Amino acid sequence: MTYKILVVDDEVSLERLIKQRFRKSIRDNKLEFIFAHNGKEALEKLAAESPIAIILTDINMPEMDGLTLLEKLSELDVNLTLKTVVVSAYGDLQNIRTAMNRGAFDFLTKPIDFDDLEITINRTLEYVQKMKQNLKELHQAQSQLIQSEKMVSIGQLVAGVAHEINNPVGFIAGNLDHIEIYIEELLNILQLYQAELPNPSEVLQQQIEKVELDFVIEDLPKLVASMKQGTERIRNISTSLRTFSRSDTVQKVPFNIQEGIESTLLILTHRLKGNKYRPEIKVIKDYGELPLVECYPGQLNQVFMNIIANAIDAIEEATQGYTYEEIKATSKVITIKTEVVDGESEIVNDDNRMEELRLPSNRAVIRISDNGPGMPESVRENIFSPFFTTKSVGAGTGLGLSISWSIVVEKHGGRIDCISKPEKGSEFIIEIPIESNSGGG
Ligand SMILES: Nc1ncnc2c1ncn2[C@@H]1O[C@H](COP(=O)(O)OP(=O)(O)OP(=O)(O)O)[C@@H](O)[C@H]1O
Ligand SMILES: [Mg+2]
């Protein structure tokens, strides 16, 4: 990584001296020096050249002096890790104090001692680096916290609803079994009556015709059968909801990944369904045979949820402004493919990470693709970073994929990748080692 240092001084010869002194670091791409001759120019360079790590500034300069520059910097929304080092005349304690009060990180005295300058730059860069690392960790912790809180509450809600549904469905299903038997018995008795009373009275005859008894007798068992089907479906939904929100966080358990995907799709049913603006988004499943996979089921389901929800978002965004008929003609689909892969993992994108990404040979591979708008490279390379989003405020927090990344890579020792090009759709590839021996809680 190259650190940029902005040197602000009206002394033109300084540029040559610095380039001479730091030529090795410049050649090795460790440091890059940018020069400005007063505070005003410095602010322009800062806006054009971000991110700058250190500003080294003189105090007395034409147009805008160093102290004013410091003041402007504190008003600007410059990045938190930018540090300023002030160069002042020897013994000028007053200016040095003012500079420190305005947020300068350190100071040097004139004439510049280049050994001292080098030490100061290195020390400041160390500090900048440390701060960057801290910020990154803070960001990550924050994002995990938000997401896990969000997920825990969704999980609890879903599991709670599933539980509440189970009881009433239980007694409807139980009673239906009895109703089926009672109806059969009643119909038998009716048949016996009809046999023993072949010529009913006028009143009875009229009533039989009025209620269309033959039809009722034929239809009643069908109604009960369809009610039984309905309760069976509610039961499956409730089981799926509980599969989806499984909260095994302590230990990995063997899990049927396809069941996880199915339960996720069920949760997303209403988003996939057609509405008056667009037809339904079809889900094409191409499930290969997968063995049980050692994993944290609830967390893997979150990954599927995030990726499929993103695909729906992308398709919806891309279809905005088109008519129902136009959208129908392009037929939007999400394809989910699962398979077992044996052998070295194949590197799709990032050649530099080749070594890091070698995975144990036996892996479950889940590919989720959509024929939505795809992404330009500038988006694709950032999607796994916390808080990166292209969605409007309130629509996306930019956490879905960064959390998915840590679930797959850190918790499961697996790998997640994305292939996407504008107009060509997107494909997410998730690989999870089938027998877990890497990655942990
Ligand atoms: N299937 C996709 N097609 C196109 N762009 C996508 C797709 N999936 C993700 N993206 C891009 O990646 C970005 C990051 O996705 P991520 O899920 O991390 O955050 P988000 O969806 O914006 O917000 P949320 O935190 O609510 O999930 C999205 O804003 C979008 O630009
Ligand atoms: Mg998302």
Side-chain angles (χ1 to χ4, degrees):
M1 141 147 222
T2 312
Y3 284 105
K4 287 188 183 175
I5 300 177
L6 175 60
V7 180
V8 194
D9 202 311
D10 53 345
E11 182 78 57
V12 191
S13 62
L14 189 64
E15 183 165 340
R16 194 176 43 78
L17 291 173
I18 285 186
K19 281 185 172 162
Q20 172 73 17
R21 172 73 192 208
F22 291 96
R23 62 187 182 282
K24 188 166 180 314
S25 300
I26 294 172
R27 204 176 19 182
D28 295 347
N29 283 328
K30 288 201 180 108
L31 297 180
E32 181 185 340
F33 287 90
I34 296 149
F35 297 87
H37 301 103
N38 58 57
K40 228 174 124 217
E41 216 182 299
L43 289 174
E44 284 161 16
K45 293 259 159 100
L46 187 68
E49 293 276 353
S50 293
I52 279 172
I54 302 178
I55 296 179
L56 181 74
T57 182
D58 190 16
I59 291 187
N60 294 320
M61 290 176 296
E63 285 203 64
M64 186 191 288
D65 63 41
L67 294 178
T68 315
L69 173 64
L70 270 171
E71 202 169 52
K72 296 273 179 211
L73 284 176
S74 67
E75 287 165 11
L76 279 177
D77 192 20
V78 289
N79 73 61
L80 272 170
T81 53
L82 174 70
K83 292 286 155 229
T84 310
V85 176
V86 169
V87 186
S88 97
Y90 182 78
D92 184 2
L93 280 180
Q94 187 54 44
N95 271 339
I96 291 171
R97 277 216 55 176
T98 311
M100 298 309 263
N101 282 340
R102 292 187 182 177
F105 177 72
D106 203 349
F107 67 91
L108 287 168
T109 53
K110 277 191 167 179
I112 293 179
D113 170 344
F114 278 85
D115 286 336
D116 194 17
L117 174 65
E118 192 167 353
I119 292 169
T120 308
I121 284 180
N122 285 340
R123 204 171 60 85
T124 313
L125 281 180
E126 254 170 49
Y127 185 85
V128 167
Q129 233 167 356
K130 221 194 238 156
M131 251 181 90
K132 277 211 165 111
Q133 184 58 28
N134 287 351
L135 263 176
K136 199 173 140 198
E137 281 165 18
L138 193 73
H139 232 137
Q140 255 164 10
Q142 196 186 16
S143 80
Q144 305 249 353
L145 208 69
I146 296 175
Q147 182 79 359
S148 60
E149 221 158 75
K150 197 162 104 184
M151 282 315 166
V152 165
S153 51
I154 291 177
Q156 278 172 349
L157 190 78
V158 167
V161 170
H163 181 79
E164 287 303 318
I165 290 175
N166 254 3
N167 279 338
V169 168
F171 60 70
I172 293 176
N175 289 344
L176 273 177
D177 286 340
H178 288 114
I179 286 181
E180 202 173 26
I181 297 167
Y182 294 164
I183 285 176
E184 208 187 307
E185 285 170 352
L186 281 172
L187 291 179
N188 277 340
I189 289 176
L190 203 59
Q191 262 176 356
L192 280 178
Y193 266 117
Q194 279 174 327
E196 289 192 15
L197 264 179
N199 301 309
S201 70
E202 186 76 1
V203 180
L204 209 49
Q205 191 59 40
Q206 269 177 7
Q207 197 58 24
I208 287 173
E209 276 164 25
K210 195 177 156 206
V211 301
E212 298 181 73
L213 188 63
D214 285 347
F215 176 76
V216 171
I217 291 174
E218 200 196 306
D219 202 35
L220 202 49
K222 287 188 196 158
L223 293 188
V224 176
S226 119
M227 283 162 85
K228 278 180 111 172
Q229 259 179 30
T231 43
E232 190 53 36
R233 254 166 64 187
I234 300 178
R235 270 213 170 133
N236 288 341
I237 292 173
S238 148
T239 312
S240 260
L241 289 176
R242 278 185 301 170
T243 305
F244 176 78
S245 57
R246 275 175 64 166
S247 56
D248 314 84
T249 46
V250 193
Q251 216 185 349
K252 286 183 186 166
V253 292
F255 181 60
N256 180 335
I257 286 196
Q258 265 129 235
E259 259 175 34
I261 297 173
E262 285 296 313
S263 74
T264 309
L265 286 173
L266 186 102
I267 305 246
L268 288 168
T269 307
H270 77 285
R271 292 213 53 204
L272 291 161
K273 257 192 200 149
N275 52 40
K276 63 177 172 185
Y277 305 109
R278 60 155 179 83
E280 102 179 285
I281 299 169
K282 287 214 186 63
V283 177
I284 298 172
K285 297 168 200 169
D286 180 5
Y287 292 159
E289 242 174 69
L290 284 189
L292 296 180
V293 174
E294 298 246 336
C295 64
Y296 302 104
Q299 297 190 14
L300 270 199
N301 289 339
Q302 302 303 344
V303 174
F304 305 142
M305 175 81 162
N306 285 330
I307 292 176
I308 300 171
N310 279 346
I312 300 174
D313 288 347
I315 288 173
E316 287 203 319
E317 201 193 292
T319 51
Q320 245 158 43
Y322 290 89
T323 65
Y324 190 99
E325 291 307 320
E326 285 168 335
I327 301 168
K328 197 170 170 193
T330 62
S331 171
K332 293 299 176 202
V333 293
I334 293 173
T335 308
I336 304 177
K337 192 173 174 209
T338 62
E339 62 184 332
V340 172
V341 168
D342 221 348
E344 286 278 292
S345 86
E346 169 196 326
I347 306 302
V348 191
N349 276 312
D350 206 341
D351 287 352
N352 302 335
R353 287 189 302 167
M354 187 89 91
E355 285 308 312
E356 257 172 66
L357 290 174
R358 288 254 153 85
L359 294 181
S361 52
N362 227 358
R363 305 180 305 279
V365 180
I366 304 106
R367 295 166 183 269
I368 302 176
S369 54
D370 64 73
N371 60 355
M375 315 165 216
E377 185 58 21
S378 59
V379 169
R380 198 202 60 82
E381 64 188 7
N382 286 310
I383 53 175
F384 295 113
S385 311
F387 298 107
F388 176 83
T389 181
T390 57
K391 295 170 192 170
S392 53
V393 179
T397 57
L399 288 177
L401 288 178
S402 85
I403 296 294
S404 301
W405 188 92
S406 55
I407 290 175
V408 172
V409 177
E410 284 164 6
K411 299 270 169 72
H412 290 88
R415 178 179 143 204
I416 180 167
D417 231 314
C418 169
I419 307 174
S420 184
K421 284 210 170 70
E423 315 294 324
K424 292 270 186 285
S426 308
E427 179 177 38
F428 284 84
I429 304 142
I430 303 155
E431 299 191 10
I432 307 286
I434 288 170
E435 269 161 57
S436 91
N437 40 23
S438 54

